[in-house]
Amino acid sequence: MKYRAIATDYDGTLATEGRVADTTLAALKRYQQAGGLLLMVTGRELTDLQNAFSALAIFDGVVVENGAVFYHPASERLQLLADPPPDAFIATLKAQHVSPINTGQVIVSTWQPHGAVVQQTIQSMGLASRVIMNKRAVMVLPANVTKATGLNVALTELGLTANQVVGIGDAENDFDLLKSCGLGVAVANALPAVKDMADRVTTQYRGAGVEELVDWILNGEL
């Protein structure tokens, strides 16, 4: 099997409206039983992901907060890969009526139309942070943190190289993930820009697209 691991985004890729179909979960297990490793790479916070997806333990490694945190399900070990922004940043956003504001271990997030205010606040405070868009979601992370940097930590943990991995996603924050893998795949519902940069595009949407990818690998089409 050429590709020893699949690194998948969660929302809009593996999941539909926050839930993973039984057929998709079965496909992941088929791939794992054939010797493949499973990696999750998502913008979600860990607790939120665990509440949404009860089968997270089947994954060999989980990157959350868009690359800022690595979680090892088997040992339940959590590793922060970056520092959060100062408390003054969040206080300044609140003073400008940015709401809602969600804070994880590292990530700070809100929704459009607050992206411009968030960006201006980062610049005015001189922070080494950047805004990453995920459709309507506005995520703030350290400037050097992406899904690709988080994936690299997971690959080191598992003794894999990027060329052995297929990445699959659907939105702007998946660009770095797909570019960093040996093969980058966009699901059929992905944003046009993601499809344009991907090596392959599935014919199926969301979880069914992941199922299609598993079939490609197991049938020797990749």
Side-chain angles (χ1 to χ4, degrees):
M1 190 162 60
K2 181 178 179 180
Y3 294 105
R4 292 188 55 203
I6 292 174
T8 178
D9 171 50
Y10 189 72
D11 291 287
T13 303
L14 190 67
T16 301
E17 296 183 355
R19 295 292 180 263
V20 178
D22 290 344
T23 53
T24 304
L25 187 58
L28 294 178
K29 290 179 178 179
R30 286 200 310 274
Y31 176 72
Q32 202 168 46
Q33 289 165 0
L37 298 173
L38 297 174
L39 296 168
M40 175 90 72
V41 189
T42 175
R44 284 205 187 210
E45 298 166 32
L46 179 59
T47 301
D48 183 36
L49 180 63
Q50 290 171 321
N51 289 337
F53 184 44
S54 61
L56 189 62
I58 73 166
F59 278 79
D60 299 284
V62 179
V63 177
V64 292
E65 298 195 21
N66 214 73
V69 179
F70 175 68
Y71 175 65
H72 188 259
S75 65
E76 297 186 342
R77 176 168 51 86
L78 190 70
Q79 181 181 357
L80 270 61
L81 307 179
D83 296 322
D87 292 341
F89 173 66
I90 298 169
T92 303
L93 292 180
K94 289 180 178 178
Q96 297 176 92
H97 308 291
V98 174
S99 179
I101 298 174
N102 298 311
T103 57
Q105 299 282 347
V106 176
I107 198 171
V108 175
S109 61
T110 185
W111 299 90
Q112 289 288 37
H114 298 301
V117 172
V118 172
Q119 184 64 60
Q120 291 165 6
T121 303
I122 290 171
Q123 293 173 349
S124 66
M125 295 183 70
L127 300 178
S129 302
R130 68 167 178 156
V131 172
I132 300 174
M133 300 303 301
N134 181 11
K135 298 177 182 175
R136 290 188 58 251
V138 179
M139 302 181 295
V140 179
L141 287 159
N144 61 345
V145 171
T146 67
K147 284 191 172 185
T149 62
L151 176 66
N152 286 338
V153 172
L155 296 183
T156 300
E157 181 87 11
L158 297 173
L160 297 173
T161 65
N163 286 337
Q164 296 174 299
V165 183
V166 179
I168 184 165
D170 74 307
E172 304 101 317
N173 64 323
D174 294 316
F175 285 149
D176 293 310
L177 171 64
L178 270 57
K179 288 178 182 177
S180 68
C181 292
L183 187 77
V185 177
V187 285
N189 56 285
L191 297 177
V194 180
K195 291 181 180 180
D196 288 343
M197 60 80 60
D199 299 306
R200 294 281 295 267
V201 179
T202 68
T203 63
Q204 301 298 312
Y205 291 73
R206 301 177 181 85
V210 176
E211 296 170 35
E212 186 176 8
L213 170 60
V214 169
D215 287 339
W216 288 346
I217 296 173
L218 297 183
N219 294 335
E221 298 176 37
L222 292 179

